[in-house]
Amino acid sequence: MPYDPSAFPPFAVTVDLVVLTVRRHALCALAIRRGEPPFQGRWALPGGFVRADEDLAQAAARELAEETGLQAHDPGAPAQDYGAHLEQLATYGDPDRDPRMRVVSVAHLALAPDLPAPKAGGDASNARWAPVDELLQQGGYGRDGEPVAPLAFDHAQILSDGVERARSKIEYSSLATAFCPAEFTVGELRRVYEAVWGVALDPRNFHRKVTGTPGFLVPTGGTTTRQGGRPAQLFRAGGATLLNPPMLRPEV
């Protein structure tokens, strides 16, 4: 029998983005309020359909630029070329995840330093940075006083998976520096770990660990008083991608 493409049911491919940043010492994710059905009026992760002329990485980078104005960091570029860290997270293909048609989503995780308030675009009626604990909350009320409804589609599961990926990867990699500006203090880096893990860390022990881990941090020779108090030494991310020994998450 000759091959007949019309004999197979069509389905679409999308990319969804878990965009994480640290704002006001809290781990936050970018959320958009859907302006069109399905799930009109509900909060969701940013994303969209993959175009016919782009691969998955290109689609994710395009959506990231459209939603945040950020360019994805090229791992092969020099270290000072600071863009957003972008990596593939997982694939979600439950047949009933989208009421419109069969849709398979390839989710991506993006990490970036503190970003300005987002602007809604496309089919979104609003956009905001929201603490991940609030977005994953079931029932009750959020910080802005509005009732909390589950995220649209299966985005709660995707967000939960993205947060856990970030929490686990900063244990053994230098990924936590992706939440920091190009030059940062040890205190600023510690607050990233505290926000992502949701724990308080001993400042002296943390300073000893991160400055004693080969290739993790490189002194810039400068100092800053932007956190108040005495001038603090500035660092930049070193060349190490894996930490040895790892920064193990405290048990809570």
Side-chain angles (χ1 to χ4, degrees):
M1 295 290 293
Y3 171 66
D4 180 9
S6 64
F8 299 88
F11 69 93
V13 178
T14 62
V15 289
D16 287 309
L17 298 177
V18 179
V19 186
L20 300 179
T21 192
V22 175
R23 304 192 79 201
R24 302 182 182 91
H25 309 303
L27 182 63
C28 297
L30 180 61
I32 58 100
R33 191 189 293 277
R34 291 187 56 80
E36 300 176 357
F39 304 108
Q40 185 173 6
R42 292 262 290 274
W43 291 100
L45 298 176
F49 289 92
V50 178
R51 296 173 179 171
D53 60 347
E54 60 186 2
D55 61 24
L56 295 173
Q58 291 170 333
R62 172 180 55 78
E63 287 289 344
L64 179 67
E66 291 176 356
E67 299 288 352
T68 68
L70 285 171
Q71 300 299 314
H73 173 65
D74 180 0
Q80 60 266 27
D81 179 22
Y82 279 85
H85 172 87
L86 182 65
E87 66 178 66
Q88 194 172 121
L89 175 62
T91 303
Y92 300 83
D94 187 288
D96 299 321
R97 63 178 304 275
D98 192 316
R100 294 170 293 187
M101 62 182 299
R102 181 72 192 274
V103 176
V104 174
S105 178
V106 182
H108 288 70
L109 174 66
L111 309 178
D114 189 10
L115 299 170
K119 295 181 179 179
D123 62 354
S125 63
N126 195 5
R128 63 169 178 157
W129 292 105
V132 296
D133 291 341
E134 178 182 321
L135 291 174
L136 295 174
Q137 180 181 343
Q138 300 294 315
Y141 292 86
R143 291 187 178 183
D144 55 4
E146 68 173 308
V148 173
L151 291 174
F153 305 102
D154 52 359
H155 288 185
Q157 182 63 56
I158 297 175
L159 175 60
S160 179
D161 292 346
V163 169
E164 182 54 36
R165 169 76 67 87
R167 286 173 174 166
S168 62
K169 285 197 73 170
I170 66 172
E171 289 185 307
Y172 61 86
S173 77
S174 59
L175 193 61
T177 59
F179 288 105
C180 296
E183 295 185 356
F184 52 88
T185 68
V186 170
E188 290 168 338
L189 181 63
R190 173 172 52 82
R191 282 184 279 275
V192 166
Y193 275 89
E194 291 177 334
V196 175
W197 283 344
V199 299
L201 300 174
D202 180 80
R204 290 188 178 182
N205 286 341
F206 181 84
H207 192 285
R208 175 177 53 82
K209 288 181 180 179
V210 297
T211 57
T213 300
F216 191 8
L217 303 181
V218 176
T220 66
T223 60
T224 181
T225 57
R226 61 185 175 226
Q227 298 299 314
R230 295 180 299 175
Q233 188 176 8
L234 285 169
F235 294 84
R236 61 176 174 82
T241 55
L242 297 178
L243 304 184
N244 187 20
M247 292 280 296
L248 297 180
R249 202 181 332 180
E251 295 184 4
V252 293

